[in-house]
Amino acid sequence: MIKSVIIDNEKKSRKTLSNFLRKYCKNVEVLGEADGVSTGIELIKNKNPELVFLDIEMTDGTGFKLLESIEDIQFSVIFVTAYSAYAIKAFKISAIAYLLKPINPQELIEAIEKYQKEIGLKGIHNKLEVLLGNQSNVKKIAFPTSEGIELVKLNQIVHCEADDNYTSIFLANEKRIVVSKTIKEYDTMLSDFGFYRIHQSHLVNLDYIAKYNKNDGGYVVLENGKKLPVSRRNKQEFLEKLLR
């Protein structure tokens, strides 16, 4: 039996996953459930699972925060979340699988089969911890465009600008990429990698800010000379980031 735990802040989601495991994955034993980061850490310490089904957005933090809080990771992870925007982070820390809610039973079965296959590889339990420490070394992000997929180095992204349900990505070489995703999704993806949303419509790579001007309500000047407004709501936190 594969000893597992479920960490998800939604009781209904925990129940659904538990029922699916009993019905479709009879070789998986659920040792317990938790509803957040702090309770999840305690559950893992007490139960010592082989496999953790982990939600990402929880009331007291994210699943990534939970993983970063555990010094010696001795388990594999299957992310179960309603947010597709986190997939790039999950991929970078080598999660076994990334399941979107509502859970598809067939995808769950395939995730367990993948776990069983990979668990036989030497050092699989240590793989997650090693790659978690390398999150900051993410080199590229994939942008789906009308022509296909464009891979861009993160340090070449100057800023992102919202346009309804589209986002314009401005690069250091002055190229512009238009993507049919909201700026909120890119804020979620890039906030851990030196980007800050200074305004409802603007997400900026802090490395490209040349100065902040407090006149006219406050705005930043990028290295390329472009001026972008800083919202009143975000101003204090933004200035604190600049001064760190």
Side-chain angles (χ1 to χ4, degrees):
M1 294 292 288
I2 301 169
K3 299 183 183 301
S4 72
V5 296
I6 299 173
I7 303 172
D8 192 315
N9 70 324
E10 297 179 352
K11 185 176 180 179
K12 183 178 179 181
S13 295
R14 297 197 304 270
K15 184 177 180 180
T16 297
L17 177 54
S18 183
N19 288 340
F20 279 176
L21 289 170
R22 278 196 299 270
K23 183 175 181 179
Y24 301 108
C25 308
K26 299 184 185 299
N27 58 334
V28 178
E29 178 185 6
V30 179
L31 302 178
E33 300 177 5
D35 61 0
V37 172
S38 58
T39 56
I41 292 172
E42 193 64 27
L43 177 65
I44 289 170
K45 288 180 179 178
N46 291 335
K47 299 298 184 180
N48 192 28
E50 301 168 83
L51 179 62
V52 174
F53 293 94
L54 184 60
D55 190 12
I56 293 181
E57 284 283 3
M58 294 181 281
T59 53
D60 60 343
T62 67
F64 300 112
K65 177 183 175 182
L66 180 148
L67 294 174
E68 291 167 357
S69 301
I70 298 177
E71 292 184 3
D72 185 21
I73 295 179
Q74 295 294 324
F75 54 84
S76 296
V77 173
I78 292 179
F79 284 107
V80 183
T81 177
Y83 301 92
S84 61
Y86 286 111
I88 184 173
K89 289 186 183 181
F91 174 76
K92 287 298 175 181
I93 64 171
S94 196
I96 293 295
Y98 189 89
L99 302 178
L100 283 174
K101 300 176 184 176
I103 297 173
N104 180 309
Q106 183 57 41
E107 291 180 356
L108 176 61
I109 292 170
E110 291 172 358
I112 297 302
E113 289 175 347
K114 182 180 178 183
Y115 166 79
Q116 290 178 296
K117 181 178 179 180
E118 292 197 13
I119 202 63
L121 299 177
K122 184 177 180 180
I124 185 66
H125 285 307
N126 296 324
K127 186 179 179 184
L128 184 66
E129 184 178 20
V130 172
L131 294 180
L132 179 63
N134 291 329
Q135 279 196 70
S136 60
N137 294 327
V138 174
K139 297 298 183 184
K140 294 182 179 181
I141 183 171
F143 291 112
T145 68
S146 58
E147 298 177 349
I149 297 175
E150 190 150 354
L151 297 175
V152 177
K153 292 181 179 179
L154 291 185
N155 61 12
Q156 292 301 302
I157 302 172
V158 178
H159 71 104
C160 307
E161 185 172 324
D163 183 10
D164 292 328
N165 290 325
Y166 291 84
T167 301
S168 292
I169 314 296
F170 294 89
L171 307 183
N173 61 5
E174 299 187 355
K175 183 176 181 178
R176 176 190 177 199
I177 301 173
V178 179
V179 185
S180 59
K181 288 188 176 183
T182 65
I183 197 169
K184 181 179 179 180
E185 291 185 68
Y186 288 110
D187 183 20
T188 300
M189 287 186 204
L190 300 173
S191 60
D192 289 342
F193 303 103
F195 288 76
Y196 188 81
R197 194 170 179 181
I198 60 172
H199 184 275
Q200 184 177 358
S201 299
H202 300 287
L203 176 67
V204 178
N205 185 337
L206 298 179
D207 287 340
Y208 284 95
I209 294 177
K211 69 177 181 178
Y212 168 77
N213 194 313
K214 65 181 180 180
N215 297 323
D216 300 325
Y219 62 89
V220 296
V221 180
L222 303 181
E223 290 182 354
N224 61 13
K226 188 169 184 176
K227 298 178 181 179
L228 299 175
V230 178
S231 71
R232 183 179 303 175
R233 184 180 63 180
N234 296 348
K235 187 179 300 181
Q236 187 58 43
E237 183 181 60
F238 168 66
L239 292 178
E240 289 174 1
K241 276 188 173 290
L242 285 184
L243 294 172
R244 286 175 188 170

